[in-house]
Amino acid sequence: MKTENRLFLIVMISMFVFAAIYGWVTWYNENPAYGVPGEIEWVGFLGLIFSGLLTGMVWLVFWVISRRIDPRPEDRPDGEISDVSGEVGFFSPGSYWPLGLALTAVFAGLGVVFWLPWMLFAGGVAILLAVGGLTFEYYTGTRKLGPQ
C-alpha cells in the first residue's frame, strides 16, 4: 500500500500546486478574452481544489491501511514476483447482472434527464434489484426446509 500511498500523495500535491498556478494566472491576466482581469476564474480553480481534496481522501485511506498491515511484496525492496503467486479470487465466468445494472442505470438517468418522477422511482427500484442480484448471484446460503 505504500506505493499507492505515494502515488496519490504526489497527485494530491500536484493538484494543489496547479490550483495555485491557475488562480495566479487567471488573477493576473491582461487579455479580456480570458475573463475579467483582476478576478480569479472560480470554476477551474475550485475544480482543481476539489480534485486535490478527493485525491487526498483516497490518499488518506491508503495511508491508514498501509500503517495497519504488514508490508506487501510490492512494497518491499527485496520482494519477488513469486511472493504474490497463488489464487487471487473468484471471478464470474459469465454474468448478465452487470448488463442489467447498466440498463437500469440508463433508465433511471433518463428519468432524471426528462424529469419523470415515475421513471426515476422505477429506475431506482430496478437499480436496487439489479445490485441485489449482482451481489447475491452465487450465494447459496443455508436453508432449513422445516423442522428437523
Side-chain angles (χ1 to χ4, degrees):
M1 287 292 174
K2 292 185 187 272
T3 306
E4 295 89 351
N5 179 6
R6 283 189 217 115
L7 177 69
F8 278 95
L9 179 64
I10 291 168
V11 172
M12 178 187 69
I13 292 170
S14 304
M15 286 293 168
F16 291 134
V17 169
F18 294 153
I21 293 170
Y22 187 85
W24 183 78
V25 167
T26 58
W27 179 268
Y28 288 108
N29 71 31
E30 297 295 329
N31 190 347
Y34 297 119
V36 180
E39 289 186 14
I40 292 179
E41 198 277 312
W42 289 103
V43 175
F45 180 70
L46 289 177
L48 287 168
I49 292 288
F50 287 138
S51 296
L53 290 173
L54 288 172
T55 309
M57 289 187 341
V58 177
W59 166 75
L60 184 64
V61 168
F62 283 139
W63 180 72
V64 168
I65 291 173
S66 72
R67 292 175 51 89
R68 289 185 180 181
I69 64 173
D70 293 331
R72 301 176 303 168
E74 296 92 0
D75 298 328
R76 294 192 324 251
D78 62 337
E80 295 290 330
I81 293 175
S82 61
D83 293 340
V84 292
S85 63
E87 185 176 332
V88 177
F90 173 75
F91 300 97
S92 177
S95 175
Y96 291 108
W97 284 110
L99 177 64
L101 184 59
L103 292 176
T104 57
V106 168
F107 188 74
L110 288 174
V112 171
V113 168
F114 294 114
W115 194 243
L116 299 171
W118 66 269
M119 188 180 230
L120 181 60
F121 179 75
V125 170
I127 286 174
L128 291 176
L129 291 173
V131 166
L134 183 64
T135 303
F136 296 109
E137 181 175 11
Y138 291 102
Y139 178 73
T140 56
T142 56
R143 296 183 185 184
K144 294 184 179 179
L145 300 174
Q148 302 199 5

